[in-house]
Amino acid sequence: MSALKIKKGASRKSAYDLRDPNSEVIETHTLAVTVDNEAGVLARVIGLFSGRGYNIDSLTVAEVDHLGHTSRITIVTRGTPAVIEQIKAQLGRIVPVHDVHDLTVEGPSVERELALFKVHGTGNDRVEALRLADIFRANAVDSTLESFVFELTGTPDKIDAFAELMRPLGLVEMARTGVAALSRGKE
Amino acid sequence: MTRQMTGARMVVQALKDQGVDTVFGYPGGAVLPIYDEIFQQNDIRHVLVRHEQGAVHAAEGYARSTGKPGVVLVTSGPGATNAVTGLTDALLDSIPLVVLSGQVPTFMIGTDGFQEADTVGITRPCTKHNWLVKDTEKLSETIHQAFHVATTGRPGPTLVDIPKDVQFAQGSYTPPAKSKTDHYQPTVKGDIDAITDLVELIETAERPIFYTGGGVINSGPGACQILRELVDGTGFPITSTLMGLGAYPATGDKWLGMLGMHGLYEANMAMHDCDLMINVGARFDDRITGRIDAFSPGSQKAHIDIDPSSINKVIHVDLPIVGDVGHVLEDLLRIWKSRGRKTNSDALKNWWKQIDAWKEVKCLTYRNSDKIIKPQYAVERLEALTRGKDRYVTTEVGQHQMWAAQFMGFDEPGRWMTSGGLGTMGYGLPASVGVQQAHPDALVINVAGDASWLMNMQEMGTAVQFRLPIKQFILNNERLGMVRQWQQLLHGERYSHSWSESLPDFVKLAEAFGCKGRLVKDPAELDDAIQEMLDYDGPFILDVLVEKHENCFPMIPSGEPHNKMLLGEVEATDAIQGAGATLV
């Protein structure tokens, strides 16, 4: 190697950052993408992921600014650090994309997902389901003599855990929204 | 005061306001109102192609030889789907295009109407951006945005899909100055700290090299001028990708020739052994890098690129600089000069001594013949007889393309048009149509192979109709030469479907199209044949029968690094093995 010296991350405007670029460790990142709310914008984002072989673990999208016609797309994705950087750079290239924030590296953030669970059962199972729902602070939003629909908000892990507990108690159907996330603090 | 007009008139008005003088297109039901407006004006010339793919390649040739965006007009359905190959080609080579496509009326969209296709859906991954305009009020502004997006940042193709009822309806026209260009404003100025870091590297590097690409040419003549000043000032060697030929003159004494799979030995060896690689507007394409984990192992790499996604996509670089090549090089040159124009001149002398030793290998040597025309010889003679003329060269894709890149020299940008990223056979003939349209008095030559040329040969009709005196220089080996070469090297000489049986008689074909042709197979007659082609006042097809099984060398075999180049036939046996065999 030569004796040449370069400051790492010398260009602040680049996709380069200070983590080990050659790491093969698969990381999970939550990306918040602000886009113009126009026809086809979601297809552009999803097409980028499928076309370039990236993963989507979860995807949430809704208009967040009616006057400005912008939507927020929250994507949970997986990849090596180099792949994550590529994903962010490629997203930034899409013309109706305003900005891309990597909530996983930009400081602490809160992530929440909403899920609905239909649990079918009678007798002890039914009582147990209700007790667990109480522990998880899930709300029963519909009930019949033989079933409940629980509503639960929380991190994806919490929702996974609740689903596992409900499964032997008669879980018949489940709907999840995908992750919505915001950075913590006033910024 | 807003001006009311129909959507169709708006299209023509918007093109005029964008300074468009030429449109390449093909009419059909869904664009009839626009064609009616074109009929009633004389400011914009419409070049009727014979197939929509030809229109897009012609527009690419126009764009690359002028620096202005190429404009295409096609109808709905098959008109739009035929444009897809050209759009993808322009996307991969970063060529600014605006394609306008007709669409079925808005109330019919989704009903599988006649000649309906989901054009924005189909072209979404092969355009930089596209729009479906459902309201005439928004049409003119959208067209202006399409020009803005196509020509700023990393250039690329855009498409505006215009339903027929939107063309008929009245709306108010928005001029370019009043059109919103939204938040799409790419970074052009590079980070000064990073540029200063690069200057420090330039001052101390022992074995530096400039590795330049199409980004220099896209940045404009000014960028090429600054690059030349920088290269000549520092005395560093320079090599270029296929896309970047002409940014630095081939006659310049720092020029090493093209690099990459069929690049020159000295260029590839210098890339492998350098200690400072300065990538200017290139993207570490796999034709350039060869084996990634053995790519230039001892070097610090700087990368100047306007597209942040190009940084670290393939090769991890030590010093990324995001910005327009012209702006960054300007700052780089200014800072380097202000710090006293320093380089490590002793080390540079040794570096050049090494490079001169590599040059002594004379990697482009081939065994000539006085019985049969060698394709390399044909390109050499074409070069000799046209060098110094006001000349533009296009190519198809394959062996002839590489020989043209190896044996022809380009001293100015925008003189060399070839399909690099997508490798589109059938590119060269329509591209030469577009180039000649933009430069009516220049010499425009398409260096072609017989197989590629047939893919869009219908465009000879366009050339004849519009009196475009394009010269078609076909290296006819009755083979798909590059495919055959790979089958020889990799698939046990089993030439599966890589030969052309029942080729047309190209001379008769020329006559059938209403132009002139000549066949030449004797090396002694080659010069005379080329001269006849050059002297003829009109389109000309020169059918050069060449050695059928000539291979293109030097060559980096698949899966090998730069310093494992094959120089000729002897080394080529069993050269590609293992994982390399799965690469293309």
Side-chain angles (χ1 to χ4, degrees), chain A residues 112-115 136-138 151-155 158-159:
Chain A
R112 290 294 180 272
E113 194 176 348
L114 185 140
F136 275 76
R137 273 174 259 163
E151 171 203 336
L152 178 61
T153 307
T155 61
K158 179 177 170 181
I159 287 166

Side-chain angles (χ1 to χ4, degrees), chain A residues 1-17 19-22 34-36 38-41 43-45 47 52 54 82 85-86 89-99, chain B residues 91 120 124 127-131 149 154 182-184 187 189-191 193-194 197 200-201 204-207 275-276 297-301 307-314 316-322:
Chain A
M1 289 289 282
S2 71
L4 300 171
K5 276 218 202 82
I6 297 177
K7 272 187 287 185
K8 277 202 138 191
S11 177
R12 291 186 296 273
K13 292 187 183 70
S14 78
Y16 180 76
D17 75 7
R19 286 169 300 143
D20 176 9
N22 299 317
T34 311
V35 298
D36 286 326
E38 61 179 39
V41 67
R44 285 178 210 284
V45 171
R52 292 186 184 264
Y54 305 140
E85 290 306 312
Q86 251 312 288
Q90 293 290 353
L91 283 169
R93 226 154 73 108
I94 297 175
V95 172
V97 167
H98 290 235
D99 50 47
Chain B
L91 185 72
V120 285
R124 200 173 282 134
T127 53
K128 186 172 169 188
H129 196 57
N130 62 13
W131 296 261
V149 170
R154 180 177 181 177
D182 290 320
H183 52 90
Y184 183 74
T187 305
K189 294 288 278 183
D191 183 83
D193 291 346
D197 289 344
E200 284 175 22
L201 295 180
T204 53
E206 295 176 358
R207 299 183 309 281
D275 72 342
L276 173 63
S299 65
Q300 303 269 27
K301 298 173 187 73
D307 180 358
S309 77
S310 288
I311 308 283
N312 294 335
K313 181 171 67 180
V314 179
H316 179 76
V317 296
D318 306 282
L319 182 58
I321 301 171
V322 175

Side-chain angles (χ1 to χ4, degrees), chain B residues 133-437:
Chain B
V133 182
K134 289 182 167 172
D135 178 358
T136 308
E137 288 293 331
K138 291 183 179 158
L139 178 58
S140 51
E141 187 172 52
T142 306
I143 293 173
H144 296 315
Q145 285 171 350
F147 275 89
H148 174 71
V149 170
T151 54
T152 50
R154 180 177 181 177
T158 57
L159 178 140
V160 184
D161 201 26
I162 313 169
K164 197 171 183 182
D165 55 335
V166 173
Q167 298 169 31
F168 275 124
Q170 294 274 333
S172 45
Y173 179 78
T174 310
K178 292 198 171 149
S179 293
K180 279 192 300 175
T181 44
D182 290 320
H183 52 90
Y184 183 74
Q185 300 294 347
T187 305
V188 292
K189 294 288 278 183
D191 183 83
I192 289 293
D193 291 346
I195 294 171
T196 309
D197 289 344
L198 179 52
V199 171
E200 284 175 22
L201 295 180
I202 287 172
E203 288 169 345
T204 53
E206 295 176 358
R207 299 183 309 281
I209 188 167
F210 283 103
Y211 148 46
T212 62
V216 187
I217 289 167
N218 274 335
S219 186
C224 298
Q225 204 48 52
I226 300 168
L227 175 74
R228 291 164 185 216
E229 205 183 321
L230 189 64
V231 171
D232 294 337
T234 55
F236 289 2
I238 175 171
T239 179
S240 162
T241 65
L242 184 72
M243 302 306 297
L245 298 178
Y248 183 84
T251 47
D253 61 350
K254 306 293 178 284
W255 176 241
L256 302 188
M258 182 178 76
L259 81 159
M261 183 173 270
H262 292 289
L264 272 69
Y265 181 73
E266 49 268 38
N268 284 330
M269 291 302 285
M271 285 287 281
H272 187 268
D273 283 8
C274 68
D275 72 342
L276 173 63
M277 179 186 297
I278 307 167
N279 174 340
V280 188
R283 59 180 177 88
F284 295 110
D285 179 89
D286 58 78
R287 298 295 97 161
I288 296 304
T289 58
R291 190 164 132 193
I292 297 283
D293 61 6
F295 174 72
S296 191
S299 65
Q300 303 269 27
K301 298 173 187 73
H303 186 182
I304 302 167
D305 202 303
I306 199 163
D307 180 358
S309 77
S310 288
I311 308 283
N312 294 335
K313 181 171 67 180
V314 179
I315 296 290
H316 179 76
V317 296
D318 306 282
L319 182 58
I321 301 171
V322 175
D324 173 63
V325 163
H327 287 84
V328 174
L329 289 185
E330 195 180 355
D331 286 336
L332 183 66
L333 186 63
R334 181 174 48 75
I335 295 170
W336 178 70
K337 280 180 175 172
S338 72
R339 289 167 54 116
R341 308 171 66 101
K342 290 191 289 254
T343 56
N344 188 345
S345 51
D346 288 344
L348 267 182
K349 264 185 215 129
N350 287 331
W351 181 223
W352 273 107
K353 210 178 283 174
Q354 172 64 69
I355 289 170
D356 288 338
W358 287 324
K359 281 185 175 176
E360 279 308 304
V361 170
K362 298 195 188 310
C363 66
L364 294 182
T365 308
Y366 61 93
R367 199 174 296 131
N368 210 350
S369 158
D370 55 3
K371 296 201 173 52
I372 189 147
I373 300 174
K374 290 283 187 164
Q376 300 96 321
Y377 178 69
V379 178
E380 262 188 327
R381 292 316 301 159
L382 180 69
E383 165 76 356
L385 293 171
T386 60
R387 193 73 195 259
K389 290 185 194 289
D390 181 17
R391 178 189 78 178
Y392 295 82
V393 177
T394 67
T395 76
E396 307 287 345
V397 168
Q399 287 181 322
H400 66 274
Q401 177 190 30
M402 293 297 108
W403 282 317
Q406 291 172 342
F407 288 92
M408 300 188 88
F410 299 93
D411 294 336
E412 296 299 328
R415 298 282 176 157
W416 163 252
M417 273 66 47
T418 191
S419 171
L422 193 64
T424 308
M425 292 172 73
Y427 169 89
L429 167 49
S432 67
V433 166
V435 174
Q436 189 82 74
Q437 180 62 44

Side-chain angles (χ1 to χ4, degrees), chain A:
Chain A
M1 289 289 282
S2 71
L4 300 171
K5 276 218 202 82
I6 297 177
K7 272 187 287 185
K8 277 202 138 191
S11 177
R12 291 186 296 273
K13 292 187 183 70
S14 78
Y16 180 76
D17 75 7
L18 297 172
R19 286 169 300 143
D20 176 9
N22 299 317
S23 167
E24 290 299 315
V25 177
I26 303 289
E27 299 175 352
T28 299
H29 284 240
T30 305
L31 308 179
V33 187
T34 311
V35 298
D36 286 326
N37 185 17
E38 61 179 39
V41 67
L42 186 59
R44 285 178 210 284
V45 171
I46 294 171
L48 169 70
F49 277 77
S50 63
R52 292 186 184 264
Y54 305 140
N55 298 301
I56 297 182
D57 282 359
S58 111
L59 180 85
T60 310
V61 54
E63 189 173 70
V64 290
D65 179 358
H66 288 290
L67 290 176
H69 293 289
T70 54
S71 295
R72 185 180 174 100
I73 301 177
T74 310
I75 304 166
V76 180
T77 184
R78 259 175 303 126
T80 62
V83 167
I84 300 283
E85 290 306 312
Q86 251 312 288
I87 291 173
K88 288 191 276 186
Q90 293 290 353
L91 283 169
R93 226 154 73 108
I94 297 175
V95 172
V97 167
H98 290 235
D99 50 47
V100 181
H101 286 286
D102 185 344
L103 297 176
T104 306
V105 299
E106 289 178 10
S109 61
V110 279
E111 292 189 3
R112 290 294 180 272
E113 194 176 348
L114 185 140
L116 298 172
F117 302 84
K118 183 173 281 182
V119 182
H120 186 268
T122 52
N124 274 349
D125 281 358
R126 182 173 164 82
V127 176
E128 188 60 21
L130 207 52
R131 274 159 43 99
L132 286 165
D134 192 39
I135 292 167
F136 275 76
R137 273 174 259 163
N139 297 319
V141 291
D142 176 70
S143 54
T144 67
L145 291 174
E146 294 175 346
S147 72
F148 290 114
V149 173
F150 293 119
E151 171 203 336
L152 178 61
T153 307
T155 61
D157 283 353
K158 179 177 170 181
I159 287 166
D160 287 344
F162 188 68
E164 278 313 302
L165 290 170
M166 287 300 115
R167 211 170 298 274
L169 300 177
L171 179 64
V172 287
E173 205 176 351
M174 172 179 179
R176 298 173 73 150
T177 59
V179 171
L182 278 181
S183 61
R184 289 181 187 270
K186 63 180 179 177
E187 293 296 310

